[in-house]
Amino acid sequence: MEVIIKETPEEMSRLSAELIAEVIRHKPRAVLGLATGSTPLGTYKELIRLHKQEGLDFSRVVTFNLDEYVGLAHDHPQSYHYFMWENLFKHININAKNVHIPDGTAKDIPGFCRWYEEQMVKAGGLDIQLLGIGGNGHIAFNEPGSSLGSRTRVKTLDEKTRQDNARFFRSLNEVPKYAITMGIGTIMDSRQLILLATGSGKAEAILRTCEGPITAMVPATIVQLHPKATIIVDKQAASKLTREYPAEPSVLVLA
Ligand code: PGA
């Protein structure tokens, strides 16, 4: 596990986008695991810039998103379908057939979750998974206490997570109570992980993730077991770390 501290969220986003772009340049049919939330927005902006200005080609790229609220239609402004099309997909040359996002409107949710896992296997497995982290240490909607071996399934959201996300809805009441989420085992199967965090609100979760013991109480700590995980944080999210960390990856993969 490599921890990289950047001065600003913008620098964090540039490095994260470069790592993803490298995967695509080496493997045009790359399978990307994508995330929603405020944190990856800068990465998506930079990927869009790389596409528009440097010709980064998404035409054969396949994507799988981490999660989606149960009960929100795909065109609901707070659905993760809507988020992904608005903030990334409509700006790049991705083939809509290659986009996979959990279907929160599925009639048979357990059946859908099995199908979603099968599609990842059929696509050849995830090459790189982008992750944010919750203030409580969750990854995707795997809240504290989630099985570290879990697969895609429906989860009840923590009150803390619902409150954190209430800013996007008109009231806390409107925040869905359930979500479909890749499991921690699903995420760990990805060949590479990038976990991003910015701001002092994430400092405690980052401290526990980077320097604490592995525990289901802080699901992000599982990344310590991954053979190729990069945690990229800004100064504020790094503010509670006690060890020295570099500002660049040890193997510079930048072209
Ligand atoms: P955020 O969410 O990027 O909006 O802070 C991250 C998460 O909850 O996983």
Side-chain angles (χ1 to χ4, degrees), residues 85-97:
W85 281 98
E86 282 302 305
N87 293 301
L88 180 62
F89 297 145
K90 79 175 188 191
H91 307 285
I92 58 176
N93 66 331
I94 196 146
N95 183 339
K97 284 198 197 112

Side-chain angles (χ1 to χ4, degrees), residues 13-233:
S13 299
R14 270 200 298 278
L15 176 59
S16 139
E18 245 333 300
L19 293 174
I20 295 170
E22 271 300 295
V23 173
I24 298 172
R25 289 186 198 113
H26 281 104
K27 183 179 176 187
R29 200 186 285 276
V31 184
L32 310 182
L34 299 177
T36 53
S38 320
T39 315
L41 279 174
T43 302
Y44 295 153
K45 279 207 183 90
E46 180 61 11
L47 286 173
I48 294 166
R49 192 194 67 75
L50 288 170
H51 168 66
K52 293 200 156 123
Q53 295 181 4
E54 297 182 23
L56 184 65
D57 180 15
F58 289 85
S59 60
R60 296 165 71 198
V61 165
V62 177
T63 67
F64 286 88
N65 261 80
L66 285 170
D67 46 15
E68 176 61 287
Y69 291 117
V70 169
L72 293 195
H74 297 181
D75 59 357
H76 189 291
Q78 298 314 330
S79 76
Y80 290 168
H81 278 77
Y82 188 87
F83 177 101
M84 288 308 301
W85 281 98
E86 282 302 305
N87 293 301
L88 180 62
F89 297 145
K90 79 175 188 191
H91 307 285
I92 58 176
N93 66 331
I94 196 146
N95 183 339
K97 284 198 197 112
N98 291 341
V99 168
H100 305 80
I101 303 173
D103 182 3
T105 66
K107 293 255 172 327
D108 169 14
I109 289 183
F112 175 83
C113 294
R114 280 193 298 278
W115 178 87
Y116 200 67
E117 288 273 336
E118 282 163 20
Q119 296 312 300
M120 281 182 257
V121 173
K122 265 195 191 158
L126 302 180
D127 291 302
I128 187 165
Q129 174 68 58
L130 184 61
L131 297 166
I133 181 171
N136 63 3
H138 73 202
I139 44 175
F141 278 127
N142 297 286
E143 302 286 17
S146 292
S147 159
L148 296 179
S150 51
R151 311 302 305 187
T152 303
R153 68 215 183 290
V154 70
K155 284 291 286 180
T156 306
L157 305 187
D158 263 18
E159 267 321 290
K160 163 100 175 85
T161 301
R162 291 187 65 241
Q163 284 160 13
D164 283 352
N165 291 0
R167 65 188 195 275
F168 300 115
F169 292 82
R170 275 180 302 194
S171 70
L172 181 60
N173 261 349
E174 283 187 17
V175 184
K177 295 197 163 58
Y178 305 98
I180 296 174
T181 179
M182 279 190 205
I184 298 174
T186 320
I187 292 167
M188 287 294 284
D189 282 351
S190 176
R191 295 181 187 95
Q192 188 175 348
L193 301 179
I194 302 178
L195 187 148
L196 305 178
T198 60
S200 53
K202 301 290 172 70
E204 182 67 30
I206 286 298
L207 169 65
R208 296 182 73 178
T209 299
C210 299
E211 299 182 4
I214 297 172
T215 168
M217 292 303 119
V218 183
T221 58
I222 194 71
V223 305
Q224 294 175 23
L225 285 179
H226 197 282
K228 198 172 179 191
T230 310
I231 298 182
I232 316 173
V233 296

